[in-house]
PDB file of all heavy atoms in Angstrom:
ATOM      1  N   GLY U   1      74.849 -60.889  51.344  1.00  0.00           N
ATOM      2  CA  GLY U   1      73.915 -59.850  50.673  1.00  0.00           C
ATOM      3  C   GLY U   1      74.665 -58.702  50.243  1.00  0.00           C
ATOM      4  O   GLY U   1      75.552 -58.063  50.923  1.00  0.00           O
ATOM      5  N   THR U   2      74.315 -58.042  49.062  1.00  0.00           N
ATOM      6  CA  THR U   2      74.900 -56.869  48.625  1.00  0.00           C
ATOM      7  C   THR U   2      73.742 -55.940  48.154  1.00  0.00           C
ATOM      8  O   THR U   2      72.696 -56.440  47.673  1.00  0.00           O
ATOM      9  CB  THR U   2      75.843 -57.081  47.439  1.00  0.00           C
ATOM     10  OG1 THR U   2      75.189 -57.652  46.376  1.00  0.00           O
ATOM     11  CG2 THR U   2      77.012 -58.052  47.848  1.00  0.00           C
ATOM     12  N   VAL U   3      74.014 -54.632  48.222  1.00  0.00           N
ATOM     13  CA  VAL U   3      73.132 -53.680  47.721  1.00  0.00           C
ATOM     14  C   VAL U   3      73.797 -52.977  46.516  1.00  0.00           C
ATOM     15  O   VAL U   3      74.881 -52.510  46.612  1.00  0.00           O
ATOM     16  CB  VAL U   3      72.851 -52.580  48.763  1.00  0.00           C
ATOM     17  CG1 VAL U   3      71.922 -51.477  48.243  1.00  0.00           C
ATOM     18  CG2 VAL U   3      72.077 -53.259  49.991  1.00  0.00           C
ATOM     19  N   VAL U   4      73.037 -52.956  45.363  1.00  0.00           N
ATOM     20  CA  VAL U   4      73.518 -52.209  44.203  1.00  0.00           C
ATOM     21  C   VAL U   4      73.434 -50.762  44.357  1.00  0.00           C
ATOM     22  O   VAL U   4      72.288 -50.321  44.581  1.00  0.00           O
ATOM     23  CB  VAL U   4      72.841 -52.695  42.847  1.00  0.00           C
ATOM     24  CG1 VAL U   4      73.429 -51.979  41.698  1.00  0.00           C
ATOM     25  CG2 VAL U   4      73.208 -54.224  42.650  1.00  0.00           C
ATOM     26  N   CYS U   5      74.510 -49.999  44.188  1.00  0.00           N
ATOM     27  CA  CYS U   5      74.435 -48.510  44.352  1.00  0.00           C
ATOM     28  C   CYS U   5      74.853 -47.915  43.024  1.00  0.00           C
ATOM     29  O   CYS U   5      75.777 -48.315  42.408  1.00  0.00           O
ATOM     30  CB  CYS U   5      75.363 -48.045  45.412  1.00  0.00           C
ATOM     31  SG  CYS U   5      74.839 -48.598  47.133  1.00  0.00           S
ATOM     32  N   ALA U   6      74.001 -46.863  42.599  1.00  0.00           N
ATOM     33  CA  ALA U   6      74.218 -46.219  41.338  1.00  0.00           C
ATOM     34  C   ALA U   6      74.973 -44.829  41.551  1.00  0.00           C
ATOM     35  O   ALA U   6      74.886 -44.212  42.540  1.00  0.00           O
ATOM     36  CB  ALA U   6      72.878 -46.018  40.623  1.00  0.00           C
ATOM     37  N   PRO U   7      75.654 -44.412  40.476  1.00  0.00           N
ATOM     38  CA  PRO U   7      76.498 -43.169  40.643  1.00  0.00           C
ATOM     39  C   PRO U   7      75.573 -41.979  40.698  1.00  0.00           C
ATOM     40  O   PRO U   7      74.565 -41.853  39.931  1.00  0.00           O
ATOM     41  CB  PRO U   7      77.324 -43.205  39.410  1.00  0.00           C
ATOM     42  CG  PRO U   7      76.617 -43.988  38.392  1.00  0.00           C
ATOM     43  CD  PRO U   7      75.888 -44.962  39.214  1.00  0.00           C
ATOM     44  N   VAL U   8      75.896 -41.066  41.579  1.00  0.00           N
ATOM     45  CA  VAL U   8      75.165 -39.749  41.684  1.00  0.00           C
ATOM     46  C   VAL U   8      76.105 -38.590  41.500  1.00  0.00           C
ATOM     47  O   VAL U   8      77.265 -38.567  42.146  1.00  0.00           O
ATOM     48  CB  VAL U   8      74.509 -39.716  43.074  1.00  0.00           C
ATOM     49  CG1 VAL U   8      73.718 -38.321  43.231  1.00  0.00           C
ATOM     50  CG2 VAL U   8      73.486 -40.824  43.262  1.00  0.00           C
ATOM     51  N   HIS U   9      75.748 -37.669  40.563  1.00  0.00           N
ATOM     52  CA  HIS U   9      76.628 -36.584  40.374  1.00  0.00           C
ATOM     53  C   HIS U   9      76.208 -35.358  41.186  1.00  0.00           C
ATOM     54  O   HIS U   9      75.017 -35.176  41.532  1.00  0.00           O
ATOM     55  CB  HIS U   9      76.570 -36.181  38.860  1.00  0.00           C
ATOM     56  CG  HIS U   9      77.374 -37.054  38.037  1.00  0.00           C
ATOM     57  ND1 HIS U   9      78.019 -36.653  36.875  1.00  0.00           N
ATOM     58  CD2 HIS U   9      77.595 -38.384  38.041  1.00  0.00           C
ATOM     59  CE1 HIS U   9      78.642 -37.694  36.263  1.00  0.00           C
ATOM     60  NE2 HIS U   9      78.362 -38.732  36.945  1.00  0.00           N
ATOM     61  N   ARG U  10      77.198 -34.571  41.505  1.00  0.00           N
ATOM     62  CA  ARG U  10      76.918 -33.200  42.077  1.00  0.00           C
ATOM     63  C   ARG U  10      76.810 -32.234  40.943  1.00  0.00           C
ATOM     64  O   ARG U  10      77.799 -32.278  40.036  1.00  0.00           O
ATOM     65  CB  ARG U  10      78.007 -32.844  42.983  1.00  0.00           C
ATOM     66  CG  ARG U  10      77.766 -31.410  43.676  1.00  0.00           C
ATOM     67  CD  ARG U  10      78.912 -31.101  44.721  1.00  0.00           C
ATOM     68  NE  ARG U  10      80.097 -30.768  44.159  1.00  0.00           N
ATOM     69  CZ  ARG U  10      81.200 -31.571  44.152  1.00  0.00           C
ATOM     70  NH1 ARG U  10      81.085 -32.737  44.768  1.00  0.00           N
ATOM     71  NH2 ARG U  10      82.318 -31.264  43.545  1.00  0.00           N
ATOM     72  N   PHE U  11      75.770 -31.423  40.784  1.00  0.00           N
ATOM     73  CA  PHE U  11      75.644 -30.530  39.704  1.00  0.00           C
ATOM     74  C   PHE U  11      75.669 -29.133  40.122  1.00  0.00           C
ATOM     75  O   PHE U  11      75.370 -28.712  41.248  1.00  0.00           O
ATOM     76  CB  PHE U  11      74.417 -30.796  38.845  1.00  0.00           C
ATOM     77  CG  PHE U  11      73.131 -30.427  39.573  1.00  0.00           C
ATOM     78  CD1 PHE U  11      72.676 -29.032  39.518  1.00  0.00           C
ATOM     79  CD2 PHE U  11      72.314 -31.302  40.245  1.00  0.00           C
ATOM     80  CE1 PHE U  11      71.427 -28.712  40.118  1.00  0.00           C
ATOM     81  CE2 PHE U  11      71.094 -30.945  40.863  1.00  0.00           C
ATOM     82  CZ  PHE U  11      70.705 -29.585  40.768  1.00  0.00           C
ATOM     83  N   GLU U  12      76.104 -28.297  39.222  1.00  0.00           N
ATOM     84  CA  GLU U  12      76.029 -26.811  39.419  1.00  0.00           C
ATOM     85  C   GLU U  12      75.362 -26.319  38.097  1.00  0.00           C
ATOM     86  O   GLU U  12      75.739 -26.584  36.961  1.00  0.00           O
ATOM     87  CB  GLU U  12      77.384 -26.182  39.506  1.00  0.00           C
ATOM     88  CG  GLU U  12      77.300 -24.639  39.654  1.00  0.00           C
ATOM     89  CD  GLU U  12      78.686 -23.986  40.038  1.00  0.00           C
ATOM     90  OE1 GLU U  12      79.161 -24.245  41.157  1.00  0.00           O
ATOM     91  OE2 GLU U  12      79.279 -23.428  39.153  1.00  0.00           O
ATOM     92  N   LEU U  13      74.280 -25.600  38.296  1.00  0.00           N
ATOM     93  CA  LEU U  13      73.438 -25.131  37.161  1.00  0.00           C
ATOM     94  C   LEU U  13      73.222 -23.635  37.235  1.00  0.00           C
ATOM     95  O   LEU U  13      72.647 -23.104  38.204  1.00  0.00           O
ATOM     96  CB  LEU U  13      72.089 -25.826  37.245  1.00  0.00           C
ATOM     97  CG  LEU U  13      71.043 -25.564  36.139  1.00  0.00           C
ATOM     98  CD1 LEU U  13      71.615 -25.662  34.832  1.00  0.00           C
ATOM     99  CD2 LEU U  13      69.777 -26.418  36.374  1.00  0.00           C
ATOM    100  N   GLU U  14      73.673 -22.906  36.187  1.00  0.00           N
ATOM    101  CA  GLU U  14      73.638 -21.450  36.172  1.00  0.00           C
ATOM    102  C   GLU U  14      72.544 -21.081  35.115  1.00  0.00           C
ATOM    103  O   GLU U  14      72.555 -21.476  33.926  1.00  0.00           O
ATOM    104  CB  GLU U  14      74.982 -20.934  35.726  1.00  0.00           C
ATOM    105  CG  GLU U  14      75.029 -19.405  35.750  1.00  0.00           C
ATOM    106  CD  GLU U  14      76.455 -18.924  35.390  1.00  0.00           C
ATOM    107  OE1 GLU U  14      77.376 -19.301  36.183  1.00  0.00           O
ATOM    108  OE2 GLU U  14      76.693 -18.251  34.394  1.00  0.00           O
ATOM    109  N   VAL U  15      71.540 -20.311  35.654  1.00  0.00           N
ATOM    110  CA  VAL U  15      70.357 -20.023  34.757  1.00  0.00           C
ATOM    111  C   VAL U  15      70.020 -18.530  34.928  1.00  0.00           C
ATOM    112  O   VAL U  15      70.325 -17.968  36.036  1.00  0.00           O
ATOM    113  CB  VAL U  15      69.152 -20.964  35.051  1.00  0.00           C
ATOM    114  CG1 VAL U  15      69.587 -22.415  34.840  1.00  0.00           C
ATOM    115  CG2 VAL U  15      68.644 -20.727  36.571  1.00  0.00           C
ATOM    116  N   PRO U  16      69.369 -17.894  33.990  1.00  0.00           N
ATOM    117  CA  PRO U  16      68.774 -16.573  34.276  1.00  0.00           C
ATOM    118  C   PRO U  16      67.861 -16.606  35.458  1.00  0.00           C
ATOM    119  O   PRO U  16      66.960 -17.467  35.581  1.00  0.00           O
ATOM    120  CB  PRO U  16      68.060 -16.261  32.897  1.00  0.00           C
ATOM    121  CG  PRO U  16      68.675 -17.239  31.874  1.00  0.00           C
ATOM    122  CD  PRO U  16      68.975 -18.423  32.650  1.00  0.00           C
ATOM    123  N   GLN U  17      67.821 -15.488  36.260  1.00  0.00           N
ATOM    124  CA  GLN U  17      66.960 -15.479  37.366  1.00  0.00           C
ATOM    125  C   GLN U  17      65.572 -15.558  37.107  1.00  0.00           C
ATOM    126  O   GLN U  17      64.786 -16.242  37.830  1.00  0.00           O
ATOM    127  CB  GLN U  17      67.193 -14.061  38.109  1.00  0.00           C
ATOM    128  CG  GLN U  17      68.519 -13.959  38.895  1.00  0.00           C
ATOM    129  CD  GLN U  17      68.622 -12.712  39.640  1.00  0.00           C
ATOM    130  OE1 GLN U  17      67.691 -12.364  40.372  1.00  0.00           O
ATOM    131  NE2 GLN U  17      69.708 -11.898  39.467  1.00  0.00           N
ATOM    132  N   ASP U  18      65.125 -15.023  35.985  1.00  0.00           N
ATOM    133  CA  ASP U  18      63.601 -15.047  35.669  1.00  0.00           C
ATOM    134  C   ASP U  18      63.160 -16.426  35.250  1.00  0.00           C
ATOM    135  O   ASP U  18      61.968 -16.631  35.120  1.00  0.00           O
ATOM    136  CB  ASP U  18      63.309 -13.950  34.580  1.00  0.00           C
ATOM    137  CG  ASP U  18      64.066 -14.251  33.259  1.00  0.00           C
ATOM    138  OD1 ASP U  18      65.240 -14.503  33.332  1.00  0.00           O
ATOM    139  OD2 ASP U  18      63.358 -14.201  32.238  1.00  0.00           O
ATOM    140  N   LEU U  19      64.026 -17.338  34.921  1.00  0.00           N
ATOM    141  CA  LEU U  19      63.650 -18.689  34.562  1.00  0.00           C
ATOM    142  C   LEU U  19      63.932 -19.728  35.699  1.00  0.00           C
ATOM    143  O   LEU U  19      63.847 -20.892  35.388  1.00  0.00           O
ATOM    144  CB  LEU U  19      64.417 -19.044  33.249  1.00  0.00           C
ATOM    145  CG  LEU U  19      64.148 -18.195  32.048  1.00  0.00           C
ATOM    146  CD1 LEU U  19      64.982 -18.568  30.860  1.00  0.00           C
ATOM    147  CD2 LEU U  19      62.665 -18.278  31.657  1.00  0.00           C
ATOM    148  N   LEU U  20      64.365 -19.284  36.839  1.00  0.00           N
ATOM    149  CA  LEU U  20      64.667 -20.183  37.875  1.00  0.00           C
ATOM    150  C   LEU U  20      63.453 -21.062  38.224  1.00  0.00           C
ATOM    151  O   LEU U  20      63.627 -22.247  38.431  1.00  0.00           O
ATOM    152  CB  LEU U  20      65.059 -19.405  39.093  1.00  0.00           C
ATOM    153  CG  LEU U  20      65.466 -20.217  40.403  1.00  0.00           C
ATOM    154  CD1 LEU U  20      66.559 -21.135  40.068  1.00  0.00           C
ATOM    155  CD2 LEU U  20      65.762 -19.259  41.536  1.00  0.00           C
ATOM    156  N   GLY U  21      62.280 -20.527  38.315  1.00  0.00           N
ATOM    157  CA  GLY U  21      61.060 -21.358  38.640  1.00  0.00           C
ATOM    158  C   GLY U  21      60.877 -22.464  37.544  1.00  0.00           C
ATOM    159  O   GLY U  21      60.532 -23.665  37.962  1.00  0.00           O
ATOM    160  N   ALA U  22      60.987 -22.207  36.335  1.00  0.00           N
ATOM    161  CA  ALA U  22      60.803 -23.237  35.304  1.00  0.00           C
ATOM    162  C   ALA U  22      61.876 -24.355  35.439  1.00  0.00           C
ATOM    163  O   ALA U  22      61.572 -25.586  35.284  1.00  0.00           O
ATOM    164  CB  ALA U  22      60.909 -22.618  33.890  1.00  0.00           C
ATOM    165  N   VAL U  23      63.065 -23.990  35.704  1.00  0.00           N
ATOM    166  CA  VAL U  23      64.186 -24.979  35.877  1.00  0.00           C
ATOM    167  C   VAL U  23      63.894 -25.837  37.166  1.00  0.00           C
ATOM    168  O   VAL U  23      64.045 -27.020  37.187  1.00  0.00           O
ATOM    169  CB  VAL U  23      65.483 -24.301  35.961  1.00  0.00           C
ATOM    170  CG1 VAL U  23      66.597 -25.340  36.310  1.00  0.00           C
ATOM    171  CG2 VAL U  23      65.813 -23.533  34.630  1.00  0.00           C
ATOM    172  N   LEU U  24      63.539 -25.246  38.283  1.00  0.00           N
ATOM    173  CA  LEU U  24      63.219 -25.965  39.403  1.00  0.00           C
ATOM    174  C   LEU U  24      62.089 -26.948  39.224  1.00  0.00           C
ATOM    175  O   LEU U  24      62.081 -28.033  39.773  1.00  0.00           O
ATOM    176  CB  LEU U  24      62.807 -25.010  40.580  1.00  0.00           C
ATOM    177  CG  LEU U  24      63.996 -24.223  41.236  1.00  0.00           C
ATOM    178  CD1 LEU U  24      63.536 -23.144  42.169  1.00  0.00           C
ATOM    179  CD2 LEU U  24      64.948 -25.203  41.969  1.00  0.00           C
ATOM    180  N   SER U  25      61.098 -26.604  38.372  1.00  0.00           N
ATOM    181  CA  SER U  25      60.026 -27.499  38.107  1.00  0.00           C
ATOM    182  C   SER U  25      60.525 -28.725  37.301  1.00  0.00           C
ATOM    183  O   SER U  25      59.837 -29.785  37.348  1.00  0.00           O
ATOM    184  CB  SER U  25      58.892 -26.806  37.420  1.00  0.00           C
ATOM    185  OG  SER U  25      58.413 -25.733  38.165  1.00  0.00           O
ATOM    186  N   GLU U  26      61.507 -28.466  36.422  1.00  0.00           N
ATOM    187  CA  GLU U  26      61.998 -29.536  35.666  1.00  0.00           C
ATOM    188  C   GLU U  26      62.822 -30.500  36.301  1.00  0.00           C
ATOM    189  O   GLU U  26      62.876 -31.793  36.006  1.00  0.00           O
ATOM    190  CB  GLU U  26      62.857 -28.963  34.454  1.00  0.00           C
ATOM    191  CG  GLU U  26      63.430 -29.867  33.448  1.00  0.00           C
ATOM    192  CD  GLU U  26      62.428 -30.599  32.593  1.00  0.00           C
ATOM    193  OE1 GLU U  26      61.289 -30.009  32.385  1.00  0.00           O
ATOM    194  OE2 GLU U  26      62.818 -31.607  31.961  1.00  0.00           O
ATOM    195  N   LEU U  27      63.503 -30.130  37.409  1.00  0.00           N
ATOM    196  CA  LEU U  27      64.521 -31.018  38.003  1.00  0.00           C
ATOM    197  C   LEU U  27      63.935 -32.337  38.452  1.00  0.00           C
ATOM    198  O   LEU U  27      64.562 -33.391  38.352  1.00  0.00           O
ATOM    199  CB  LEU U  27      65.162 -30.244  39.285  1.00  0.00           C
ATOM    200  CG  LEU U  27      66.088 -29.126  38.748  1.00  0.00           C
ATOM    201  CD1 LEU U  27      66.688 -28.407  39.989  1.00  0.00           C
ATOM    202  CD2 LEU U  27      67.201 -29.647  37.842  1.00  0.00           C
ATOM    203  N   PRO U  28      62.779 -32.404  39.118  1.00  0.00           N
ATOM    204  CA  PRO U  28      62.189 -33.663  39.551  1.00  0.00           C
ATOM    205  C   PRO U  28      61.996 -34.703  38.489  1.00  0.00           C
ATOM    206  O   PRO U  28      62.044 -35.881  38.752  1.00  0.00           O
ATOM    207  CB  PRO U  28      60.883 -33.274  40.259  1.00  0.00           C
ATOM    208  CG  PRO U  28      61.021 -31.851  40.590  1.00  0.00           C
ATOM    209  CD  PRO U  28      61.866 -31.306  39.551  1.00  0.00           C
ATOM    210  N   ARG U  29      61.787 -34.246  37.214  1.00  0.00           N
ATOM    211  CA  ARG U  29      61.527 -35.141  36.136  1.00  0.00           C
ATOM    212  C   ARG U  29      62.834 -35.870  35.820  1.00  0.00           C
ATOM    213  O   ARG U  29      62.831 -36.952  35.234  1.00  0.00           O
ATOM    214  CB  ARG U  29      61.053 -34.426  34.877  1.00  0.00           C
ATOM    215  CG  ARG U  29      59.802 -33.698  35.039  1.00  0.00           C
ATOM    216  CD  ARG U  29      59.365 -33.068  33.745  1.00  0.00           C
ATOM    217  NE  ARG U  29      58.052 -32.458  33.833  1.00  0.00           N
ATOM    218  CZ  ARG U  29      57.825 -31.148  34.080  1.00  0.00           C
ATOM    219  NH1 ARG U  29      58.918 -30.388  34.199  1.00  0.00           N
ATOM    220  NH2 ARG U  29      56.752 -30.675  34.161  1.00  0.00           N
ATOM    221  N   HIS U  30      63.933 -35.427  36.298  1.00  0.00           N
ATOM    222  CA  HIS U  30      65.240 -36.036  36.126  1.00  0.00           C
ATOM    223  C   HIS U  30      65.822 -36.598  37.492  1.00  0.00           C
ATOM    224  O   HIS U  30      66.931 -36.954  37.489  1.00  0.00           O
ATOM    225  CB  HIS U  30      66.254 -35.156  35.465  1.00  0.00           C
ATOM    226  CG  HIS U  30      65.770 -34.601  34.211  1.00  0.00           C
ATOM    227  ND1 HIS U  30      65.856 -35.220  32.905  1.00  0.00           N
ATOM    228  CD2 HIS U  30      65.030 -33.410  33.886  1.00  0.00           C
ATOM    229  CE1 HIS U  30      65.326 -34.487  32.008  1.00  0.00           C
ATOM    230  NE2 HIS U  30      64.861 -33.304  32.518  1.00  0.00           N
ATOM    231  N   ARG U  31      64.948 -36.733  38.381  1.00  0.00           N
ATOM    232  CA  ARG U  31      65.328 -37.256  39.753  1.00  0.00           C
ATOM    233  C   ARG U  31      66.462 -36.375  40.296  1.00  0.00           C
ATOM    234  O   ARG U  31      67.251 -36.867  41.114  1.00  0.00           O
ATOM    235  CB  ARG U  31      65.708 -38.605  39.750  1.00  0.00           C
ATOM    236  CG  ARG U  31      64.558 -39.549  39.370  1.00  0.00           C
ATOM    237  CD  ARG U  31      64.842 -41.039  39.596  1.00  0.00           C
ATOM    238  NE  ARG U  31      65.695 -41.544  38.485  1.00  0.00           N
ATOM    239  CZ  ARG U  31      66.648 -42.394  38.513  1.00  0.00           C
ATOM    240  NH1 ARG U  31      67.035 -42.909  39.688  1.00  0.00           N
ATOM    241  NH2 ARG U  31      67.240 -42.843  37.478  1.00  0.00           N
ATOM    242  N   ALA U  32      66.523 -35.054  39.959  1.00  0.00           N
ATOM    243  CA  ALA U  32      67.611 -34.104  40.462  1.00  0.00           C
ATOM    244  C   ALA U  32      67.006 -33.515  41.681  1.00  0.00           C
ATOM    245  O   ALA U  32      65.864 -33.082  41.861  1.00  0.00           O
ATOM    246  CB  ALA U  32      67.938 -33.111  39.462  1.00  0.00           C
ATOM    247  N   VAL U  33      67.895 -33.407  42.624  1.00  0.00           N
ATOM    248  CA  VAL U  33      67.541 -32.740  44.018  1.00  0.00           C
ATOM    249  C   VAL U  33      68.325 -31.486  44.232  1.00  0.00           C
ATOM    250  O   VAL U  33      69.579 -31.649  44.449  1.00  0.00           O
ATOM    251  CB  VAL U  33      67.744 -33.807  45.194  1.00  0.00           C
ATOM    252  CG1 VAL U  33      67.338 -33.095  46.500  1.00  0.00           C
ATOM    253  CG2 VAL U  33      67.000 -35.014  45.004  1.00  0.00           C
ATOM    254  N   PRO U  34      67.695 -30.340  44.224  1.00  0.00           N
ATOM    255  CA  PRO U  34      68.489 -29.114  44.428  1.00  0.00           C
ATOM    256  C   PRO U  34      68.820 -28.999  45.995  1.00  0.00           C
ATOM    257  O   PRO U  34      67.978 -29.296  46.757  1.00  0.00           O
ATOM    258  CB  PRO U  34      67.547 -27.972  43.977  1.00  0.00           C
ATOM    259  CG  PRO U  34      66.197 -28.588  44.116  1.00  0.00           C
ATOM    260  CD  PRO U  34      66.305 -30.027  43.949  1.00  0.00           C
ATOM    261  N   LEU U  35      70.015 -28.532  46.184  1.00  0.00           N
ATOM    262  CA  LEU U  35      70.439 -28.355  47.612  1.00  0.00           C
ATOM    263  C   LEU U  35      70.656 -26.868  48.033  1.00  0.00           C
ATOM    264  O   LEU U  35      70.222 -26.527  49.135  1.00  0.00           O
ATOM    265  CB  LEU U  35      71.748 -29.132  47.829  1.00  0.00           C
ATOM    266  CG  LEU U  35      71.697 -30.565  47.546  1.00  0.00           C
ATOM    267  CD1 LEU U  35      73.084 -31.164  47.828  1.00  0.00           C
ATOM    268  CD2 LEU U  35      70.706 -31.274  48.593  1.00  0.00           C
ATOM    269  N   THR U  36      71.243 -26.117  47.028  1.00  0.00           N
ATOM    270  CA  THR U  36      71.332 -24.686  47.415  1.00  0.00           C
ATOM    271  C   THR U  36      70.997 -23.801  46.161  1.00  0.00           C
ATOM    272  O   THR U  36      71.176 -24.244  45.033  1.00  0.00           O
ATOM    273  CB  THR U  36      72.910 -24.326  47.784  1.00  0.00           C
ATOM    274  OG1 THR U  36      73.726 -24.577  46.604  1.00  0.00           O
ATOM    275  CG2 THR U  36      73.314 -25.265  48.908  1.00  0.00           C
ATOM    276  N   THR U  37      70.685 -22.597  46.450  1.00  0.00           N
ATOM    277  CA  THR U  37      70.375 -21.621  45.343  1.00  0.00           C
ATOM    278  C   THR U  37      70.999 -20.318  45.822  1.00  0.00           C
ATOM    279  O   THR U  37      70.837 -19.865  46.969  1.00  0.00           O
ATOM    280  CB  THR U  37      68.897 -21.422  45.220  1.00  0.00           C
ATOM    281  OG1 THR U  37      68.219 -22.683  44.962  1.00  0.00           O
ATOM    282  CG2 THR U  37      68.643 -20.498  44.028  1.00  0.00           C
ATOM    283  N   ARG U  38      71.661 -19.586  44.922  1.00  0.00           N
ATOM    284  CA  ARG U  38      72.282 -18.265  45.168  1.00  0.00           C
ATOM    285  C   ARG U  38      72.342 -17.572  43.934  1.00  0.00           C
ATOM    286  O   ARG U  38      72.102 -18.026  42.708  1.00  0.00           O
ATOM    287  CB  ARG U  38      73.653 -18.446  45.783  1.00  0.00           C
ATOM    288  CG  ARG U  38      74.664 -19.129  44.855  1.00  0.00           C
ATOM    289  CD  ARG U  38      76.069 -19.225  45.465  1.00  0.00           C
ATOM    290  NE  ARG U  38      76.947 -19.983  44.512  1.00  0.00           N
ATOM    291  CZ  ARG U  38      77.665 -19.453  43.542  1.00  0.00           C
ATOM    292  NH1 ARG U  38      77.553 -18.109  43.371  1.00  0.00           N
ATOM    293  NH2 ARG U  38      78.427 -20.177  42.789  1.00  0.00           N
TER     294      ARG U  38
END
């Protein structure tokens, strides 16, 4: 038996602070999982 595994990228996304909320809301639509914010 084998399990098919798909490639996952690590991303770094730089955005204006005032638009952070909008970007965080968009990420799930692309199955993106945020890990850190600074």
Side-chain angles (χ1 to χ4, degrees):
T2 63
V3 175
V4 176
C5 294
V8 178
H9 283 215
R10 182 175 70 253
F11 72 81
E12 181 174 283
L13 179 54
E14 188 175 296
V15 300
Q17 289 188 48
D18 61 314
L19 297 175
L20 179 59
V23 172
L24 286 170
S25 298
E26 179 71 19
L27 292 181
R29 297 186 178 95
H30 304 276
R31 293 188 282 145
V33 179
L35 299 177
T36 66
T37 306
R38 62 182 175 84

